[in-house]
Amino acid sequence: FIFLFSLQNNSIKTSKYNFFTFLPLNLFEQFQRIANAYFLFLLILQLIPQISSLAWFTTVVPLVLVLAVSGVKDAIDDFNRHKSDKHVNNRPVQVLINGMLKDEKWMNVQVGDIIKLENNNFVTADLLLLSSSEPHSLTYIETAELDGETNLKVKQALTVTAELGEDLQKLTEFNGAVKCEAPNNKLDKFTGTLTLQGEKYALDNEKMLLRGCTIRNTEWCFGLVIYAGPDTKLMQNSGKTTFKRTSIDRLMNVLVLVIFAFLALMCLILAIGNGIWEYDKGCYFQVYLPWAEGVNSASYSGFLMFWSYVIILNTVVPISLYVSVEIIRLGNSFYIDWDRKMYYPLNDTPAQARTTTLNEELGQIKYIFSDKTGTLTQNIMCFNKCSINGKSYGDVYDMSGQRIEINENTEKVDFSYNQLADPKFAFYDHSLVEAVKLSDVPTHRFFRLLSLCHTVMPEEKKEGNLVYQAQSPDEGALVTAARNFGFVFRARTPETITVVEMGETKIYKLLAILDFNNVRKRMSVIVRSPEGDLTLYCKGADTILYELLHSSCDSLKEETTEHLNEFAGEGLRTLVVAYKNLDEDYFQDWIRRHHEASTALEGREDKLSELYEEIEKDLMLLGATAIEDKLQDGVPQTIETLAKANIKIWVLTGDKQETAMNIGYSCNLLNDDMEDVFIIEGSTSDDVLNELRNARKKMKPDSFLDSDEINIQFEKSSKKPNVIPDEQANGVYGLVITGHSLAYALEGNLELELVRTACMCKVVICCRVTPLQKAQVVELVKKYKKAVTLAIGDGANDVSMIKTAHIGVGISGQEGMQAVLSSDFSFAQFRYLQRLLLVHGRWSYIRMCKFLKYFFYKNFAFTLVHFWYGFFSGFSAQTVYDEWFITLYNLVYTSLPVLGMSLFDQDVDDRWSMLFPQLYVPGQQNLYFNKMVFVKCMLQGIYSSLILFFIPYGAMYNTMRSDGKAIADYQSFALMAQTCLLIVVSVQIGLDTSYWTVVNQFFIWGSLSVYFAITFTMYSDGMYLIFTASFPFVGTARNTLSQPNVWLAIFLSITLCVLPVVGFRFLKAQLKPTPSDKVLLKIKEAKKRPPPPSPKRRLRRTSTRRSGYAFSHQHGFGALIMSGRNMRPKSPFATTGTFSPNSDKHKHKGL
């Protein structure tokens, strides 16, 4: 084989490290964090004796701990990625090797290999189809992973390769040269040539099976690997893996820089102070406090003191901040993994936090970008209701005539009388079965139409075991419904359709299929019955078919329209069905002209279209069908709840416009109360611009005025603004845009117009979009909106948007694992998203914000005491506290209480979080931790440090013990200051804790106990005797802490530090409560009252004037059936007429 590009093997890799690269790469990544690099710099400073005022271990121990914890977490994350990669790469596939089929792993498949795939197999790589089990080497595939469509598509091998069949010898000897284009991401295009025995054959997309597809209704097929691994179109569409960081991470980097600047300013002030003090006063102390070796001037002493103070005051940015953040995120990730309410028992799938660094961002989501197929829907179509001759069927009523809701306890219709019925089919309205059994003519005609007017292929391997191969799930649902109600579609040839009608086998002659396309929005068949009657049966969109009806149907049309409006109001997909009896002479003339048109060389499509229009006139209305595109459980409620949390939902789907809109209505995204739903479907750049502007003009006319804030921004700056502020529309609107129009709207000059218009709408639906366009839409919102985005999908076509969004969520559904492998979080059902955001996300965000506020506060209070002490110690870089206290303060004494709060705290429990989605809004606005909140923490820390220095200083100044001995020494002051500090920060965390557990209590009281235990141990005589140099504070604890005046001063410090905080919080809640405060007050009151009984939901019949038409059919299947190219040999069961539900009572009627 010849290939014009570098060859890849078929393994995929989403992991970052291997055994050898982990350490260097991980350390390189970790030192890219400003703080880590800063601590390394500090460590180097501490190794210089002239400026080192603290022991080296005060920095080494925390730094090694941080790097180790982060490294272990990254290793676990990457190990999970390796596991996922291994799962995909080790899938088995049959490869042709030396004339034999051998089981091989996916990753070992090479370009040029010939592989065998069987029914329901995932396609291993991008293959050239060589042969298959189906007639003419057709192969049916489902491309849901690639484009979100569940309808079957047909691929066909070249005739020259189809002859190879499954003959392994011939396939082994197959010797050809393939030349094709370089790997690219175009899913619908492929260009290449196959040279075989000197002949050249053109290759196109119709002969290719792409990785990510699933083989359906085809026993086996053989394919030649063209692209493998990263070169496959699926992987080319999957986008780049970006390093995701939360907004709090980015803010922390900015704040760390601010703190560095503040640190430098403090050190500069103290260094200047030292220079002045040494120049003015230092000479008096030279005798017993000589300058260090090499220091010969006051200015040089000041320079050295600058660096000494950098070391001492470095705790304003404690290294333990980062290790604590990692532990908190890891802990909150485990909560997601362990949440039983997000576990899906049907396929044993728990929720999974695949990335442990993004939890708090889940509490700030403003935009959700969702796939439709498999994410909102189950990919299952059910025949739900119908209207026949003006009567609606499908609802169930109780004895009093009240409509009741259908659930698993509702009695199903018994179809046991029909041996050919599908046991999985469920229907609840018994009156329809009665109408069929009573031989009601319109009802029989209705189901006869459903059993004849379609392009479904039947398969009957065992007698009576019918399997339908439907090109679209809608058709499958309609034919299955007809089958259960006694009109069983049994077999077909290019010329005939065999139907078992109420136990009687009838063979209809198929004379023509007037195929479906997106313009006609209908399909018809013309058949001759066994009795010789000529009939045209038609089904299609109500908006189209109503124009073609005979005037005698007007009254029936009104009744049917009423039913259609009800069906559409319930979000069902509707089709209208009609028929027409044909005159023999007219038909013979028409079929002749049809033959001429179908063989015309020019204008064939137009001529055929005219003929179809001509015969599909004066139709007689039969009724309408209503199919439910089954939503996943809880989707409408989830969307409603998320909307209350002020989250905007955009649906990005590869499906058709009608289908996408229909789902929009059925899951409460769109509704009839909206002011308008704009449809953008322009075919040129100007058309799209005008449609977008007209929509914006209707939503907000003021947005075109010169005084508009955004327009002023445009005029002021020559370049486009980075962030567009939110604009409010004058009502509730929706927007639907097609992929073709979206391509224009995403161009440079239109993208701003698209963002402004779309973001004013409550709901946006983009249909017929490619995987790459999904990512571009997400990128556009990220670019122009200061908002956190989340993308959720279940297929490979969603991978690029999952990777692009701030948070990517994979639904582990039926579409393989591609989306899950690329996601940050995964679970089995869309409904779990509300719990992920409103409970876990909100809690994680609140906990992280509380943690950061407290952490910055306690470290400012701790560190600034050194600053004030500098003015009383000759700016000599003398520490206030014992060195061991400095080392253990962040690692032992204050780490567990804050971790306890950050892992267990919750302002309200999960039930209230879901009942009051409004509580989520502060996270979107980033109210709990921002630059202003940081400044407040800083000011509170400065205030506390003043109290914590001057109260102990004043209490100790010239103080005597009760026995007359002096207590006013440095060591007693240091001990008192550090005891005050620790008790104050412990009280502060008590005030910040909303939810008390045994663990919190244990951590707070335990930390204080550990402090006193360690202090008394370290300051004991024994420790001094063993390690004289390391523990100089001998006897200080028992001497100082036994004095009542010391404890009085400690109590005064606590009161002065805590009282302003308590007072401020009380007054703020009373005088200026936030929306969250008001909701929390409501919850507090609700808790006091017994919960009200849950209101019984009244089943309300909704109605709408819009069309509920949606039909996921593809053009071209009619011609394929009439040509007979996809026909198998005739089924012996279907044509003999020997098997039917009542074979002893009925005789076979033939032609």
Side-chain angles (χ1 to χ4, degrees):
F1 299 102
I2 301 170
F3 295 91
L4 301 183
F5 49 88
S6 65
L7 303 184
Q8 296 269 8
N9 70 9
N10 200 42
S11 66
I12 59 161
K13 178 174 173 284
T14 58
S15 55
K16 283 159 66 175
Y17 316 108
N18 62 34
F19 184 77
F20 298 104
T21 61
F22 174 73
L23 203 60
L25 273 180
N26 190 259
L27 285 175
F28 175 72
E29 278 178 11
Q30 291 208 54
F31 281 115
Q32 284 182 322
R33 262 190 179 159
I34 297 170
N36 286 351
Y38 164 71
F39 287 114
L40 188 65
F41 169 67
L42 271 183
L43 180 59
I44 294 163
L45 284 182
Q46 279 177 282
L47 297 174
I48 302 168
Q50 284 87 348
I51 58 173
S52 179
S53 48
L54 282 172
W56 59 270
F57 59 78
T58 55
T59 301
V60 168
V61 174
L63 181 61
V64 170
L65 194 65
V66 167
L67 296 176
V69 169
S70 296
V72 167
K73 193 183 67 61
D74 289 342
I76 291 167
D77 282 352
D78 208 57
F79 176 72
N80 289 333
R81 281 192 285 267
H82 272 287
K83 247 170 62 176
S84 300
D85 289 348
K86 193 176 173 185
H87 173 72
V88 172
N89 289 332
N90 286 349
R91 280 180 181 165
V93 66
Q94 297 179 72
V95 183
L96 186 63
I97 301 170
N98 300 327
M100 293 170 67
L101 284 171
K102 291 186 181 171
D103 279 343
E104 195 55 85
K105 292 174 180 174
W106 274 31
M107 63 180 173
N108 297 331
V109 170
Q110 302 279 342
V111 172
D113 282 346
I114 291 176
I115 65 175
K116 181 183 181 181
L117 296 172
E118 293 174 345
N119 196 26
N120 297 327
N121 279 8
F122 286 115
V123 177
T124 311
D126 288 358
L127 311 175
L128 169 66
L129 179 61
L130 296 177
S131 62
S132 87
S133 58
E134 299 304 293
H136 303 278
S137 272
L138 295 176
T139 298
Y140 298 92
I141 58 165
E142 189 180 276
T143 58
E145 274 219 26
L146 293 175
D147 55 19
E149 293 188 1
T150 51
N151 49 324
L152 296 182
K153 295 182 174 64
V154 180
K155 302 287 180 176
Q156 186 174 15
L158 286 167
T159 313
V160 68
T161 63
E163 293 163 0
L164 301 170
E166 57 180 333
D167 187 326
L168 299 185
Q169 192 57 42
K170 282 185 183 175
L171 285 161
T172 307
E173 291 165 2
F174 175 67
N175 187 17
V178 175
K179 290 186 181 180
C180 60
E181 61 195 354
N184 58 65
N185 59 17
K186 291 175 183 161
L187 292 170
D188 55 349
K189 287 202 178 100
F190 175 77
T191 313
T193 59
L194 168 68
T195 307
L196 191 64
Q197 296 166 354
E199 292 285 324
K200 258 192 181 181
Y201 302 91
L203 302 177
D204 58 23
N205 206 44
E206 294 308 304
K207 296 166 184 62
M208 292 293 291
L209 304 178
L210 302 184
R211 181 174 178 144
C213 298
T214 310
I215 305 294
R216 296 281 190 232
N217 306 332
T218 307
E219 273 186 50
W220 53 262
C221 65
F222 284 88
L224 168 69
V225 178
I226 302 291
Y227 302 124
D231 286 343
T232 56
K233 290 185 184 281
L234 173 72
M235 297 305 286
Q236 292 277 315
N237 259 296
S238 64
K240 289 179 185 168
T241 303
T242 51
F243 178 59
K244 293 182 178 181
R245 292 170 63 211
T246 66
S247 51
I248 282 183
D249 262 341
R250 291 189 289 274
L251 177 61
M252 269 166 60
N253 265 356
V254 173
L255 296 182
V256 165
L257 289 173
V258 170
I259 293 170
F260 287 166
F262 180 63
L263 174 65
L265 178 66
M266 287 196 296
C267 294
L268 187 64
I269 292 168
L270 292 167
I272 293 168
N274 177 264
I276 295 168
W277 188 86
E278 289 288 0
Y279 180 77
D280 195 29
K281 297 269 198 279
C283 53
Y284 303 128
F285 297 89
Q286 286 286 337
V287 177
Y288 61 92
L289 274 180
W291 280 341
E293 195 180 328
V295 178
N296 49 23
S297 69
S299 55
Y300 185 54
S301 171
F303 171 75
L304 290 179
M305 281 304 156
F306 176 85
W307 296 108
S308 294
Y309 271 115
V310 166
I311 294 169
I312 286 178
L313 301 178
N314 79 75
T315 46
V316 278
V317 190
I319 194 160
S320 57
L321 169 70
Y322 287 92
V323 73
S324 301
V325 164
E326 297 300 339
I327 291 168
I328 291 163
R329 285 174 173 164
L330 193 62
N332 284 311
S333 298
F334 282 132
Y335 289 151
I336 294 169
D337 295 347
W338 296 335
D339 191 342
R340 295 184 72 120
K341 290 180 182 173
M342 289 167 69
Y343 168 73
Y344 190 56
L346 290 184
N347 55 8
D348 187 28
T349 309
Q352 192 182 6
R354 295 172 52 81
T355 306
T356 54
T357 53
L358 303 171
N359 306 53
E360 70 271 12
E361 197 111 287
L362 288 170
Q364 299 181 277
I365 303 297
K366 187 73 191 284
Y367 289 90
I368 290 175
F369 299 90
S370 174
D371 175 42
K372 181 192 78 71
T373 311
T375 303
L376 299 176
T377 63
Q378 294 183 34
N379 278 354
I380 299 169
M381 300 288 176
C382 294
F383 180 82
N384 197 295
K385 292 179 183 175
C386 61
S387 169
I388 304 173
N389 199 30
K391 185 165 191 262
S392 175
Y393 296 97
D395 288 324
V396 181
Y397 298 89
D398 60 17
M399 301 296 285
S400 61
Q402 290 291 312
R403 181 168 165 244
I404 58 172
E405 190 171 4
I406 292 169
N407 56 41
E408 61 271 12
N409 300 320
T410 310
E411 188 191 353
K412 294 180 185 176
V413 169
D414 180 13
F415 290 110
S416 59
Y417 69 90
N418 179 358
Q419 293 178 33
L420 288 172
D422 183 345
K424 294 194 287 289
F425 180 82
F427 200 76
Y428 301 92
D429 186 354
H430 295 261
S431 62
L432 184 54
V433 183
E434 296 306 316
V436 172
K437 285 181 175 174
L438 291 169
S439 301
D440 179 58
V441 175
T443 309
H444 276 217
R445 192 173 277 146
F446 176 87
F447 284 116
R448 185 176 296 118
L449 182 149
L450 295 186
S451 66
L452 293 169
C453 184
H454 55 78
T455 57
V456 172
M457 297 296 298
E459 200 174 332
E460 192 172 356
K461 290 180 180 169
K462 279 199 333 203
E463 194 169 348
N465 184 12
L466 265 173
V467 178
Y468 290 143
Q469 300 174 6
Q471 187 260 337
S472 81
D474 302 71
E475 283 217 314
L478 293 174
V479 177
T480 301
R483 167 185 174 178
N484 275 57
F485 283 102
F487 288 75
V488 184
F489 166 57
R490 193 75 182 277
R492 82 175 329 139
T493 70
E495 300 87 26
T496 65
I497 297 175
T498 304
V499 179
V500 179
E501 293 185 6
M502 302 304 288
E504 185 176 353
T505 303
K506 290 188 175 184
I507 300 174
Y508 289 83
K509 191 164 186 183
L510 178 63
L511 303 173
I513 295 180
L514 285 56
D515 208 1
F516 174 91
N517 68 33
N518 283 333
V519 178
R520 281 167 43 74
K521 293 187 180 176
R522 63 188 185 275
M523 77 162 287
S524 302
V525 294
I526 300 173
V527 296
R528 192 189 298 276
S529 71
E531 292 79 19
D533 298 328
L534 271 175
T535 315
L536 178 144
Y537 291 110
C538 181
K539 67 181 180 197
D542 51 330
T543 48
I544 302 289
L545 248 68
Y546 273 9
E547 302 300 315
L548 308 174
L549 294 179
H550 192 273
S551 55
S552 63
C553 298
D554 285 353
S555 63
L556 178 57
K557 190 162 105 178
E558 280 179 29
E559 290 172 334
T560 307
T561 302
E562 200 177 304
H563 296 153
L564 280 169
N565 292 341
E566 287 170 5
F567 299 158
E570 292 169 33
L572 302 175
R573 298 157 70 111
T574 59
L575 288 173
V576 167
V577 293
Y579 76 101
K580 178 184 180 181
N581 292 319
L582 298 175
D583 176 67
E584 183 71 45
D585 295 337
Y586 167 73
F587 175 71
Q588 292 303 334
D589 176 54
W590 182 89
I591 200 78
R592 179 184 55 76
R593 287 182 289 136
H594 178 268
H595 178 71
E596 287 170 6
S598 61
T599 53
L601 295 175
E602 288 182 10
R604 182 183 300 175
E605 291 296 321
D606 293 338
K607 287 176 181 173
L608 283 172
S609 189
E610 282 174 28
L611 279 167
Y612 293 168
E613 292 280 345
E614 179 193 312
I615 200 166
E616 290 172 328
K617 273 184 186 164
D618 297 331
L619 301 175
M620 301 302 292
L621 180 61
L622 267 174
T625 63
I627 290 175
E628 181 186 4
D629 185 356
K630 264 197 173 304
L631 294 173
Q632 286 199 10
D633 293 342
V635 165
Q637 296 87 332
T638 300
I639 285 168
E640 195 179 328
T641 306
L642 293 174
K644 284 179 188 168
N646 199 29
I647 296 172
K648 293 189 174 182
I649 299 178
W650 293 27
V651 176
L652 311 177
T653 176
D655 260 7
K656 293 185 339 189
Q657 182 185 316
E658 295 94 349
T659 314
M661 284 184 71
N662 189 277
I663 286 297
Y665 280 102
S666 65
C667 61
N668 286 356
L669 276 168
L670 302 173
N671 58 61
D672 295 315
D673 297 333
M674 284 183 163
E675 303 285 331
D676 202 351
V677 176
F678 305 109
I679 296 176
I680 312 295
E681 49 188 356
S683 51
T684 67
S685 189
D686 291 340
D687 289 348
V688 174
L689 179 64
N690 290 334
E691 286 175 352
L692 287 169
R693 284 198 168 153
N694 290 339
R696 182 155 64 90
K697 202 166 195 174
K698 183 167 181 181
M699 288 190 285
K700 191 183 179 190
D702 295 353
S703 65
F704 286 89
L705 299 175
D706 293 337
S707 58
D708 182 71
E709 183 189 346
I710 297 173
N711 294 335
I712 293 167
Q713 255 184 309
F714 279 124
E715 285 168 22
K716 274 187 184 174
S717 65
S718 51
K719 60 178 187 178
K720 292 175 186 172
N722 287 337
V723 176
I724 299 174
D726 285 342
E727 298 177 90
Q728 291 299 319
N730 55 20
V732 179
Y733 294 89
L735 182 88
V736 177
I737 183 165
T738 63
H740 188 264
S741 304
L742 188 64
Y744 291 115
L746 289 169
E747 288 172 0
N749 55 337
L750 282 187
E751 63 177 22
L752 266 168
E753 194 64 51
L754 174 65
V755 169
R756 286 190 72 178
T757 306
C759 289
M760 267 195 253
C761 298
K762 187 185 175 192
V763 173
V764 178
I765 297 176
C766 304
C767 38
R768 282 278 179 229
V769 290
T770 64
L772 217 54
Q773 279 180 322
K774 289 185 177 188
Q776 287 171 329
V777 170
V778 177
E779 192 58 59
L780 187 68
V781 174
K782 275 174 72 179
K783 182 178 172 185
Y784 287 112
K785 286 287 174 183
K786 195 178 178 181
V788 181
T789 59
L790 178 145
I792 179 168
D794 72 320
N797 57 323
D798 306 313
V799 167
S800 50
M801 78 168 176
I802 282 172
K803 286 182 175 177
T804 306
H806 292 103
I807 302 272
V809 177
I811 300 267
S812 41
Q814 298 152 14
E815 308 301 340
M817 293 291 287
Q818 206 68 39
V820 172
L821 291 179
S822 308
S823 67
D824 305 307
F825 300 90
S826 69
F827 41 70
Q829 295 276 293
F830 181 83
R831 69 175 184 271
Y832 299 147
L833 183 62
Q834 63 180 328
R835 188 166 176 83
L836 183 73
L837 301 188
L838 303 185
V839 178
H840 292 288
R842 193 174 152 276
W843 282 351
S844 294
Y845 172 69
I846 290 173
R847 287 165 182 168
M848 185 59 74
C849 293
K850 277 190 173 185
F851 165 78
L852 291 171
K853 284 192 287 189
Y854 175 76
F855 215 93
F856 283 124
Y857 159 72
K858 79 179 176 73
N859 283 293
F860 272 111
F862 169 68
T863 308
L864 265 72
V865 175
H866 289 302
F867 180 74
W868 309 124
Y869 184 57
F871 290 89
F872 293 83
S873 63
F875 307 97
S876 58
Q878 167 71 44
T879 58
V880 177
Y881 317 113
D882 169 23
E883 279 188 0
W884 283 103
F885 180 80
I886 293 170
T887 307
L888 298 174
Y889 176 71
N890 277 314
L891 282 178
V892 177
Y893 300 147
T894 60
S895 60
L896 288 179
V898 71
L899 280 178
M901 180 186 72
S902 309
L903 290 173
F904 301 108
D905 203 49
Q906 40 182 276
D907 52 350
V908 293
D909 64 24
D910 54 346
R911 191 169 59 96
W912 294 109
S913 294
M914 303 275 270
L915 279 174
F916 290 92
Q918 305 90 316
L919 287 169
Y920 189 79
V921 176
Q924 294 171 333
Q925 298 165 352
N926 209 11
L927 296 182
Y928 292 147
F929 190 77
N930 50 44
K931 287 171 189 167
M932 185 53 70
V933 171
F934 171 73
V935 170
K936 285 179 187 171
C937 294
M938 199 169 159
L939 292 173
Q940 188 190 349
I942 293 169
Y943 166 75
S944 293
S945 69
L946 281 164
I947 300 292
L948 292 168
F949 175 74
F950 285 103
I951 297 287
Y953 179 78
M956 282 287 174
Y957 194 68
N958 288 336
T959 305
M960 304 293 281
R961 277 173 37 160
S962 54
D963 59 3
K965 292 179 182 175
I967 197 176
D969 59 277
Y970 158 71
Q971 292 186 341
S972 298
F973 166 70
L975 177 67
M976 186 176 172
Q978 66 198 38
T979 306
C980 281
L981 168 72
L982 200 61
I983 296 174
V984 164
V985 296
S986 297
V987 171
Q988 181 65 43
I989 200 152
L991 290 174
D992 287 346
T993 302
S994 307
Y995 182 69
W996 286 91
T997 64
V998 175
V999 179
N1000 294 72
Q1001 297 272 11
F1002 176 73
F1003 281 172
I1004 292 174
W1005 296 111
S1007 293
L1008 284 170
S1009 306
V1010 165
Y1011 163 70
F1012 284 111
I1014 288 176
T1015 302
F1016 277 97
T1017 305
M1018 282 184 174
Y1019 299 174
S1020 67
D1021 301 351
M1023 291 298 281
Y1024 176 72
L1025 291 171
I1026 301 166
F1027 304 105
T1028 308
S1030 298
F1031 300 104
F1033 279 48
V1034 61
T1036 309
R1038 62 176 182 267
N1039 286 340
T1040 309
L1041 297 178
S1042 60
Q1043 300 304 306
N1045 60 334
V1046 169
W1047 285 105
L1048 200 62
I1050 290 171
F1051 178 73
L1052 181 62
S1053 302
I1054 296 164
T1055 309
L1056 287 172
C1057 284
V1058 170
L1059 208 58
V1061 178
V1062 175
F1064 174 76
R1065 289 183 185 179
F1066 174 76
L1067 291 171
K1068 186 172 177 288
Q1070 296 300 316
L1071 305 175
K1072 203 180 174 185
T1074 61
S1076 273
D1077 290 335
K1078 291 173 185 171
V1079 174
L1080 289 168
L1081 192 67
K1082 267 190 203 172
I1083 292 170
K1084 214 171 186 179
E1085 288 167 4
K1087 280 179 180 174
K1088 291 173 188 170
R1089 297 191 302 270
S1094 54
K1096 284 188 178 177
R1097 286 181 59 205
R1098 282 186 65 85
L1099 208 56
R1100 208 162 45 86
R1101 170 87 77 176
T1102 52
S1103 181
T1104 177
R1105 295 299 304 159
R1106 64 182 172 78
S1107 169
Y1109 161 72
F1111 192 52
S1112 57
H1113 205 287
Q1114 254 191 327
H1115 179 62
F1117 255 68
L1120 188 65
I1121 283 169
M1122 294 299 285
S1123 71
R1125 284 190 297 132
N1126 63 338
M1127 299 294 173
R1128 289 178 172 282
K1130 293 177 183 179
S1131 163
F1133 314 120
T1135 51
T1136 57
T1138 56
F1139 180 87
S1140 71
N1142 304 305
S1143 53
D1144 55 332
K1145 297 179 187 172
H1146 296 277
K1147 290 179 184 173
H1148 169 195
K1149 289 190 182 177
L1151 279 169

